[in-house]
Amino acid sequence: MHHNGSSRILVIGGGFSGLTAAVEAAETGSEVIIVERNPYLGGRVAQLNKYFPKICPPLCGLEINYRRIKVNPQVKFYTMAQVESISGAPGDYNVKIKINPRYVNENCTACNACAEVCPAERDNDFNFGLNKTKAIYLPFEQSFPLIYVIDRQACPKDCPAPCVEACKYNAIDLNMQSKTVEVKVDSIVVATGWKPYDAAKIENLGFGKVKNVITNMMFERLASKNGPTGGQILRPSDGKPVEKIAFVQCAGSRDENHLPFCSYICCLASLKHILYLKEQNPDAEAYIYYIDIRTPGRYEKFFNQVKDQGGVNLIKGKVAAIEQDSESDDVIVTVEDMINMQKIKQKVDMVVLATGMQPEGLEFKVPGIQYAIEGFVIDSDGIYAAGCAKSPMDVAGCGKDSTGAALKAIQIGIRR
Amino acid sequence: MQKKIGLYICKGCGIGDVINTEKIANIAKNALRVPVVAVSDILCSNEGVELIKKDIAEQGVNSIVIAGCSPRVKTYEFSFPGCFVERVPLRELAVWTIEADDEKQLAAEDYVKLGVVKAQKGEVPEPYIIDINKTILVVGGGISGMTAALEAAKSGYDVVLVEKEAELGGFARKLYKRVPTDDYSKGVLADVNLDSIINEVTSNPKIKVYTSSKIERIDGQPGDFDVTIAKNGSTETIKIGAIIQATGWKPYDPKKLTKKYGYGKFKDVVTNFEFEEIAKKYNGVIKRPSDEKKVKSVLFIQCAGQRDPEHLPYCSAMCCVTSLKQARYVTDGNPDASAIIIYKDMRTPGKLEYYYKEAQNTPGVMLAKGEVTGIREEYDKLIVTVKDSLFGEQQVEIETEMVVLATGMVPTTKEPLDYLIGLAEAAAKGDEEKAKYIEKTKKPEFILNLGYRQGPELPFLEGGFGFVDSNFICFQYETRRTGIYAIGPVRQPMNMTEAQEDARGAALKAIQCIEHVAKGIAVHPRAWDTSFPEPNLTKCTACKRCTEECPFGAIDEDEKGIPFYKPNRCRRCGTCMGACPERIVSFKDYSVDMLGTMMKSVSVPSEDDRPRIIVLCCENDAFPAIETAALNRLKLDPAVRFIQMRCLGSMNLVWIADALSRGVDGMLLLGCKFGENYQCHFAKGSELAKYRLGKVQETLDRLQLEADRVQMYEVAIDEYWRIPQIINEFMDKIRQIGPNPFKGF
């Protein structure tokens, strides 16, 4: 080991896997730098209402990890940042990190005075555009860091910038520029995670064309208390409470034309979504159209727990079409039931497409990192993938995978 | 070093607009006798922080009370190494959540007082540091154990690997081929390469291997475990820093499947494990047991016992892929051979889907969803009946030369844990029942043989089928025995590749634990904490509550019941402190006296119509929820005063007696969800608080107070919206009961 007995590790991505790799490595004595593209840490799981199978909030574990970061001087992080280049070799990498302007500095106290006077709105990407925020906004209440951010593209051209006036803490700087920092590290953990597969690409499932067809991640936001509906599961077109719901599994996954792999979590996610709905409406009727129900290991217990609720219909079958009902905002799902060899038409209030995980690496490649054709990161000596950047996996799997990746990264520093 | 307190009051974020900070400063100076008091416009600004630093340097201030915002924000700004720092969240608890200005002021005065009390009573902890050994013990020499050993050695640590069999390798020894770890383009059957892994282990100078050996006993604590290893009738005791349990699994007993699938009745019905042995024995040629004839057709039955409440209620996670692999043993190089797999659901999650796809494209391999309803023998063939299949609605009969039952995995921990659960249940019924249980129950072989008061093995997972307790989604490796990490199928069913990854992570955790105890720092979840419980044993009455309640089994006891605290096993939740009726357990910066004095310092209005409520809340979940309620400007009843705790498990009943006898009208406890799906980071903390609360009646009876004055709610970190509801509900009850008669005494 060197540098006072510690390795220097760059972690790309500050979601669940990146945070885990970072705190585990730092608490083992390494110096860690996290680079996160979003204005907050927490990544994809921050958008989840609850985790399966315990139906517990992701923020609970994130809070612990944030605290571990706050008290550990060995961890540094950059939000709104991305890696521009990586050069060098294991044990001696040079990394350029570009930090994009947040337009709000660390003086921010999250008092909200700026947002109160802001005249402009933007689509809330945290809620998948299901509602709006002001142009100056806090991504969500328990964001870390708890600092506002400005979406400059949402600012009107001739805006008198009342936010600057309203801020008593000198926290808003509209002239903030992007800057580049250079760091030297021994090894790199790539934890860039995934994004929901674009459901509009799956022609026959009607997303974007048929009203009340949403994705599983949108459903998470609908069920979240801090989501666009205050946690009430209402269908988007008319706000009607949902009584009949259909889940289309493998929406894009296990499909050569879309994502050839299985996304691991979507069966469990849909089962969890049924619990969300049943909590609000115990009489709700749910239909799951699936190829295989994949609840491996101890998750079987969760599958049974959901299945044993009344009104859960599991149909092995392929969804042929999703169409708008001619007389209402209801949706009609046409399915080939593969066991009973018959075609079913089912009318429901809302359809949830269990879309899969597209590795971020498919469209967003970090320079200097090797990728497989589907966008997953390929390990090389000194550079290690963690979590869903490597393969689709559940949160628990990400925890163990990124802890293992942290060890590999540490070993590079030791080897020298 | 003489304590010198400095109180710094911030006027920013609207605090100065509604709170008379000068008045508070005067109270602090005069009534609370705080030597250094300052008010700042924006304390987190450079000038504000510099002001504090200057006082530290020039005035010798070493205990700092910051009255401004929550400790969850501006952590870097308000970090003063070597000083005791207490953050008083005036902004959140007084300004943002309380409606009326006069109430805001009263709350602010109260909270500042509490912060000062905390600073008066608290000390900067000195870490507990002992001479430690950094060797890692790995129990179990299968693939998981060997991987863990190699990874730890690669990271520079000495390893002792203990395997009960004469040779390393575990179940991998039985394998003919394995599933490739990732890339299937170069073939679907990979060599196990076990010899090269074993060689790597045995030739590594940092790894010492004990074969044909067992763990006879483990005593001590992380960094200083005494591990006794038994080999060939002799024993050796060595020092160990941290432990990894990789003892794996056993196949489900196939004899239990005789009725269902004819195992044992028909010679050519074998398990997947036996099939693997056949393939290995004949080097890839499949000969059936009955007549050693080379077979051309094999039918695999998936979930042979798994996903079945009568056998194994869980899925074994690896059997689908194993059958896909074994099907190729049948078809590889035999163009006229066929392998049929009958499954409930084909479970090849993630990239394993590619492995499934390869099988779908393999001539001779046939895959069908269905349910096997019976097997019978006709001449030298087996006839398998299948219903609800993709072959059609009707029941079909399939003729085959051989049947493979894809049976599942049972963790090696199941037998010892079942025995221990039975023992605990018997013991709960009395000594006689316990003796009877011990007499009539066959004692299984224990694995770790921990010399811990709370039992010889890692605690089991409630409703977890014999797997050990590591029920955190976010923190997979955390068991309830500090410094002992379970990996591979003792944690949950998994395949070999997953187990190898698991091993790598556990190796890191073991190293991390060793490095933390070397510096006297706690491990997860308080991985920064240098405090530790310091019991004043001269006053101990040997009631055993602390030794019984500690969620991590950190406290042993002698025959008289006098406890021995093992600080390196401790996670610093303070459950022992809460459990102790004599109030003798304390941490330097967290004690019964400290929190008790804080509770006694809360103002109690003398008017009957102005109730006062103390809310004790967990700092990890309930408090952030309260703070988020504040951020959303949800209004709370001004009667409440919040006090944060490390964990609700540290709640001592004496506080309730003290507060209520001073006229506080009610106490509300906010903790994490407990039970099978617990959210408590200390596993049992909130549950123990609830249990302890069950005994509060006695206290209340003594004071002649109503039971409803003390209540506990489970609240999750994201349930900020429930905070006002819970408080209002509680306040309604308190108002119904009426004022505490001790008011004004």
Side-chain angles (χ1 to χ4, degrees):
Chain A
M1 291 200 209
H2 56 164
H3 323 293
N4 311 321
S6 74
S7 306
R8 302 160 305 176
I9 301 169
L10 173 76
V11 176
I12 309 175
F16 184 89
S17 297
L19 287 175
T20 302
V23 288
E24 295 300 351
E27 285 176 10
T28 312
S30 296
E31 290 171 39
V32 182
I33 298 161
I34 304 171
V35 174
E36 167 58 48
R37 194 176 51 179
N38 282 329
Y40 56 91
L41 298 180
R44 205 52 74 192
V45 296
Q47 285 174 297
L48 301 180
N49 180 32
K50 309 276 177 184
Y51 285 143
F52 56 75
K54 287 168 76 167
I55 310 298
C56 55
L59 283 168
C60 165
L62 287 175
E63 175 73 16
I64 290 273
N65 280 344
Y66 295 156
R67 186 162 178 191
R68 290 162 83 185
I69 289 175
K70 286 178 206 170
V71 299
N72 195 332
Q74 303 266 87
V75 189
K76 226 186 189 174
F77 66 86
Y78 298 107
T79 49
M80 306 200 69
Q82 58 199 73
V83 170
E84 256 186 348
S85 70
I86 297 171
S87 59
D92 187 24
Y93 287 111
N94 240 322
V95 182
K96 278 190 185 152
I97 302 164
K98 184 183 174 199
I99 303 157
N100 296 307
R102 185 182 193 108
Y103 304 104
V104 182
N105 63 33
E106 274 159 17
N107 292 345
C108 173
T109 63
C111 71
N112 202 45
C114 54
E116 276 163 26
V117 297
C118 175
E121 285 193 326
R122 63 185 277 278
D123 280 344
N124 187 353
D125 49 356
F126 190 77
N127 286 338
F128 300 98
L130 289 166
N131 66 346
K132 306 251 182 209
T133 72
K134 290 293 184 68
I136 185 163
Y137 66 101
L138 189 64
F140 61 105
E141 299 93 333
Q142 281 156 324
S143 300
F144 175 67
L146 197 67
I147 299 176
Y148 277 59
V149 53
I150 298 179
D151 181 347
R152 284 291 265 158
Q153 282 170 336
C155 290
K157 266 201 186 102
D158 46 0
C159 186
C163 53
V164 178
E165 196 71 18
C167 181
K168 290 182 192 163
Y169 309 99
N170 239 336
I172 299 173
D173 175 3
L174 295 176
N175 297 317
M176 201 182 274
Q177 300 295 315
S178 70
K179 60 177 179 184
T180 302
V181 294
E182 235 180 299
V183 297
K184 278 184 173 296
V185 293
D186 296 313
S187 50
I188 297 169
V189 173
V190 188
T192 42
W194 60 284
K195 67 183 215 178
Y197 185 70
D198 179 3
K201 289 185 186 165
I202 318 162
E203 292 264 317
N204 61 326
L205 299 185
F207 183 79
K209 291 175 285 199
V210 180
K211 281 183 205 168
N212 301 319
V213 176
I214 65 167
T215 68
N216 45 5
M217 279 304 285
M218 291 164 88
F219 194 80
E220 287 290 338
R221 299 310 309 146
L222 282 185
S224 296
K225 204 69 189 181
N226 66 356
T229 52
Q232 282 191 291
I233 300 172
L234 308 171
R235 66 180 190 185
S237 76
D238 55 4
K240 178 178 177 276
V242 175
E243 270 153 36
K244 276 191 179 182
I245 191 163
F247 293 90
V248 180
Q249 296 311 114
C250 299
S253 303
R254 303 179 66 183
D255 186 334
E256 295 291 352
N257 298 319
H258 301 283
L259 302 172
F261 46 83
C262 156
S263 291
Y264 200 114
I265 53 135
C266 337
C267 285
L268 287 150
S270 292
L271 293 169
K272 175 182 70 171
H273 292 164
I274 290 175
L275 291 186
Y276 292 171
L277 182 59
K278 286 272 174 186
E279 200 195 341
Q280 296 188 11
N281 181 1
D283 298 328
E285 199 73 22
Y287 303 86
I288 298 192
Y289 304 111
Y290 69 95
I291 310 176
D292 295 286
I293 292 290
R294 291 188 170 166
T295 51
R298 290 195 333 230
Y299 284 138
E300 185 69 10
K301 190 174 179 181
F302 181 67
F303 177 33
N304 288 327
Q305 180 198 335
V306 179
K307 207 169 58 174
D308 293 346
Q309 309 241 338
V312 178
N313 306 284
L314 294 150
I315 298 122
K316 184 174 167 84
K318 205 170 162 44
V319 172
I322 292 179
E323 291 147 320
Q324 195 78 61
D325 180 39
S326 53
E327 282 148 30
S328 71
D329 283 3
D330 294 352
V331 190
I332 295 165
V333 186
T334 309
V335 190
E336 319 264 359
D337 179 334
M338 289 160 84
I339 298 293
N340 299 312
M341 301 289 191
Q342 59 181 9
K343 197 181 231 183
I344 309 169
K345 273 190 189 282
Q346 182 66 52
K347 191 158 120 174
V348 293
D349 297 317
M350 184 157 97
V351 170
V352 177
L353 305 180
T355 50
M357 292 182 175
Q358 174 178 313
E360 280 286 358
L362 185 66
E363 289 167 4
F364 184 84
K365 290 190 168 47
V366 179
I369 304 292
Q370 284 178 289
Y371 290 91
I373 190 158
E374 332 89 312
F376 293 114
V377 172
I378 300 172
D379 278 6
S380 58
D381 200 21
I383 298 178
Y384 306 103
C388 298
K390 177 168 151 191
S391 179
M393 57 182 86
D394 56 340
V395 172
C398 288
K400 86 177 185 189
D401 193 59
S402 39
T403 309
L407 185 69
K408 287 189 257 183
I410 288 171
Q411 286 169 348
I412 293 291
I414 290 164
R415 222 164 55 185
R416 279 165 46 90
Chain B
M1 194 168 50
Q2 180 113 38
K3 177 176 298 195
K4 189 163 186 184
I5 298 177
L7 168 68
Y8 301 90
I9 307 167
C10 180
K11 288 171 80 173
C13 294
I15 298 172
D17 300 341
V18 288
I19 305 287
N20 183 344
T21 49
E22 286 305 325
K23 187 180 168 207
I24 294 180
N26 284 329
I27 294 172
K29 271 184 234 165
N30 303 323
L32 305 175
R33 299 187 179 282
V34 178
V36 178
V37 180
V39 177
S40 161
D41 282 343
I42 304 171
L43 196 58
C44 62
S45 66
N46 271 341
E47 302 85 74
V49 173
E50 284 308 315
L51 170 78
I52 301 173
K53 283 189 177 157
K54 199 167 155 240
D55 285 354
I56 295 171
E58 292 175 11
Q59 302 221 41
V61 166
N62 53 20
S63 286
I64 297 158
V65 181
I66 290 168
C69 50
S70 146
R72 293 176 66 246
V73 293
K74 304 286 175 196
T75 320
Y76 302 110
E77 288 83 348
F78 297 130
S79 152
F80 305 102
C83 295
F84 184 95
V85 180
E86 173 62 12
R87 303 276 303 272
V88 179
L90 289 189
R91 179 177 81 160
E92 290 81 1
L93 300 185
V95 179
W96 283 353
T97 46
I98 296 179
E99 195 100 63
D101 283 352
D102 55 337
E103 293 286 0
K104 286 183 209 245
Q105 179 71 22
L106 286 176
E109 287 169 17
D110 261 5
Y111 284 122
V112 168
K113 210 190 312 170
L114 299 189
V116 171
V117 167
K118 207 165 175 184
Q120 284 166 343
K121 296 280 180 183
E123 301 289 338
V124 176
E126 288 282 328
Y128 168 88
I129 295 176
I130 54 168
D131 276 343
I132 67 153
N133 184 296
K134 293 193 173 186
T135 307
I136 292 168
L137 168 71
V138 179
V139 186
I143 286 285
S144 322
M146 288 194 292
T147 308
L150 284 170
E151 292 292 336
K154 259 190 239 173
S155 311
Y157 290 78
D158 287 323
V159 179
V160 168
L161 178 61
V162 174
E163 165 60 42
K164 72 176 186 330
E165 301 294 334
E167 285 180 274
L168 295 175
F171 257 96
R173 298 197 74 79
K174 297 195 194 306
L175 297 186
Y176 168 55
K177 297 280 179 186
R178 69 173 286 179
V179 177
T181 47
D182 198 357
D183 182 4
Y184 314 125
S185 61
K186 295 184 194 77
V188 291
L189 300 176
D191 288 333
V192 183
N193 271 332
L194 189 62
D195 289 340
S196 76
I197 301 174
I198 292 175
N199 194 31
E200 210 185 324
V201 170
T202 51
S203 64
N204 191 314
K206 294 194 96 55
I207 305 175
K208 187 169 180 192
V209 180
Y210 289 77
T211 48
S212 306
S213 301
K214 276 191 251 176
I215 303 296
E216 194 168 274
R217 192 178 167 88
I218 296 175
D219 283 307
Q221 55 181 340
D224 190 31
F225 284 116
D226 291 303
V227 176
T228 306
I229 300 167
K231 180 175 178 145
N232 303 331
S234 66
T235 63
E236 186 185 341
T237 300
I238 53 173
K239 285 280 182 200
I240 287 293
I243 298 165
I244 292 172
Q245 179 177 355
T247 51
W249 55 283
K250 291 176 182 169
Y252 183 67
D253 180 6
K255 291 190 200 80
K256 293 181 183 162
L257 299 170
T258 306
K259 209 173 134 205
K260 201 166 178 187
Y261 299 121
Y263 180 88
K265 198 162 116 196
F266 310 125
K267 277 187 177 164
D268 295 329
V269 174
V270 301
T271 68
N272 41 2
F273 308 105
E274 291 162 344
F275 191 73
E276 201 69 42
E277 285 173 321
I278 291 169
K280 186 159 183 160
K281 186 173 165 191
Y282 302 113
N283 198 24
V285 178
I286 305 301
K287 295 183 184 176
R288 65 182 188 184
S290 63
D291 51 10
E292 301 224 328
K293 190 187 117 188
K294 188 178 162 189
V295 295
K296 280 190 185 156
S297 62
V298 178
L299 185 139
F300 294 81
I301 301 174
Q302 296 311 108
C303 299
Q306 303 86 292
R307 304 181 62 186
D308 180 342
E310 283 175 25
H311 298 285
L312 297 178
Y314 51 88
C315 155
S316 269
M318 57 81 186
C319 340
C320 282
V321 178
T322 299
S323 292
L324 293 173
K325 176 189 76 173
Q326 292 181 341
R328 263 62 159 267
Y329 295 173
V330 182
T331 60
D332 239 28
N334 303 311
D336 53 345
S338 75
I340 301 174
I341 300 178
I342 305 292
Y343 62 86
K344 283 187 195 168
D345 291 285
M346 182 53 69
R347 291 191 169 166
T348 49
K351 284 203 247 177
L352 281 174
E353 179 70 10
Y354 299 159
Y355 200 72
Y356 177 33
K357 228 163 250 177
E358 289 285 341
Q360 284 174 313
N361 296 332
T362 304
V365 176
M366 213 178 134
L367 303 143
K369 181 179 166 78
E371 200 189 320
V372 171
T373 51
I375 299 181
R376 64 176 198 277
E377 210 170 27
E378 269 180 24
Y379 307 107
D380 65 340
K381 294 273 166 59
L382 292 162
I383 312 293
V384 180
T385 50
V386 183
K387 71 164 192 184
D388 285 341
S389 74
L390 301 178
F391 301 119
E393 217 177 323
Q394 300 290 317
Q395 188 151 293
V396 295
E397 297 200 332
I398 305 170
E399 193 184 273
T400 181
E401 291 171 294
M402 196 174 171
V403 167
V404 177
L405 302 179
T407 56
M409 41 170 71
V410 180
T412 47
T413 41
K414 185 171 191 324
E415 269 186 48
L417 293 181
D418 281 350
Y419 177 85
L420 292 168
I421 294 166
L423 182 66
E425 279 166 4
K429 287 180 202 150
D431 287 347
E432 206 177 306
E433 286 290 319
K434 185 181 169 187
K436 229 190 273 174
Y437 179 86
I438 293 170
E439 199 193 294
K440 70 171 206 283
T441 319
K442 186 177 166 266
K443 190 179 163 189
E445 239 174 52
F446 288 160
I447 301 166
L448 295 179
N449 283 302
L450 300 171
Y452 285 32
R453 188 241 181 266
Q454 287 187 3
E457 301 294 333
L458 289 175
F460 62 93
L461 177 65
E462 232 174 283
F465 320 116
F467 294 97
V468 304
D469 186 353
S470 66
N471 204 22
F472 297 101
I473 293 166
C474 314
F475 308 109
Q476 283 281 290
Y477 291 107
E478 303 308 332
T479 65
R480 279 170 45 207
R481 292 293 175 264
T482 307
I484 307 179
Y485 301 93
I487 58 166
V490 290
R491 227 157 55 73
Q492 59 186 39
M494 60 177 81
N495 66 38
M496 202 193 275
T497 308
E498 287 172 320
Q500 285 177 286
E501 283 162 6
D502 205 25
R504 203 167 282 127
L508 178 135
K509 293 302 293 185
I511 293 167
Q512 193 183 65
C513 172
I514 289 170
E515 293 305 329
H516 272 216
V517 297
K519 293 185 212 129
I521 309 173
V523 300
H524 183 92
R526 296 182 62 84
W528 56 85
D529 196 349
T530 52
S531 73
F532 57 93
E534 296 174 78
N536 177 3
L537 290 177
T538 53
K539 287 191 190 162
C540 174
T541 60
C543 74
K544 301 183 185 179
R545 283 184 204 162
C546 61
T547 58
E548 279 169 8
E549 290 191 15
C550 174
F552 304 100
I555 314 164
D556 290 338
E557 66 197 27
D558 66 9
E559 317 80 65
K560 289 182 196 147
I562 302 290
F564 291 103
Y565 280 66
K566 305 278 186 189
N568 285 353
R569 285 192 212 159
C570 171
R571 303 278 182 86
R572 281 72 166 175
C573 57
T575 294
C576 48
M577 173 178 131
C580 182
E582 299 300 314
R583 290 162 269 163
I584 61 172
V585 187
S586 49
F587 298 77
K588 281 276 187 299
D589 57 354
Y590 189 64
S591 66
V592 178
D593 177 37
M594 173 194 276
L595 273 90
T597 311
M598 285 166 74
M599 282 169 226
K600 285 186 240 170
S601 309
V602 169
S603 68
V604 180
S606 53
E607 301 94 320
D608 273 354
D609 59 348
R610 290 187 58 205
R612 173 66 71 236
I613 302 301
I614 292 178
V615 181
L616 300 180
C617 53
C618 142
E619 66 182 18
N620 299 303
D621 296 78
F623 187 73
I626 292 159
E627 219 190 283
T628 310
L631 197 69
N632 280 304
R633 308 298 195 274
L634 301 182
K635 293 292 176 260
L636 302 177
D637 196 297
V640 297
R641 296 290 182 265
F642 295 98
I643 294 180
Q644 292 185 65
M645 311 185 67
R646 286 187 180 183
C647 172
L648 216 52
S650 61
M651 187 269 307
N652 195 302
L653 288 180
V654 73
W655 296 334
I656 293 178
D658 284 357
L660 293 180
S661 60
R662 278 191 67 251
V664 168
D665 296 281
M667 300 272 282
L668 182 62
L669 277 60
L670 301 181
C672 301
K673 197 175 163 190
F674 54 83
E676 191 183 321
N677 287 327
Y678 63 81
Q679 291 172 23
C680 175
H681 292 284
F682 299 103
K684 293 271 166 194
S686 57
E687 187 173 344
L688 287 164
K690 183 81 181 175
Y691 160 78
R692 226 170 276 150
L693 213 53
K695 301 183 193 164
V696 78
Q697 193 56 50
E698 204 182 300
T699 309
L700 294 168
D701 282 350
R702 191 158 36 83
L703 296 169
Q704 292 185 306
L705 288 173
E706 300 76 3
D708 281 352
R709 287 194 189 272
V710 185
Q711 292 201 356
M712 176 170 164
Y713 283 80
E714 292 170 59
V715 58
I717 191 168
D718 63 342
E719 293 179 323
Y720 61 89
W721 49 276
R722 272 184 71 209
I723 302 294
Q725 292 174 12
I726 290 171
I727 288 172
N728 290 342
E729 201 178 298
F730 185 62
M731 290 308 300
D732 284 349
K733 218 167 276 169
I734 293 298
R735 290 200 172 92
Q736 233 171 45
I737 298 169
N740 183 338
F742 288 95
K743 238 179 219 289
F745 274 87

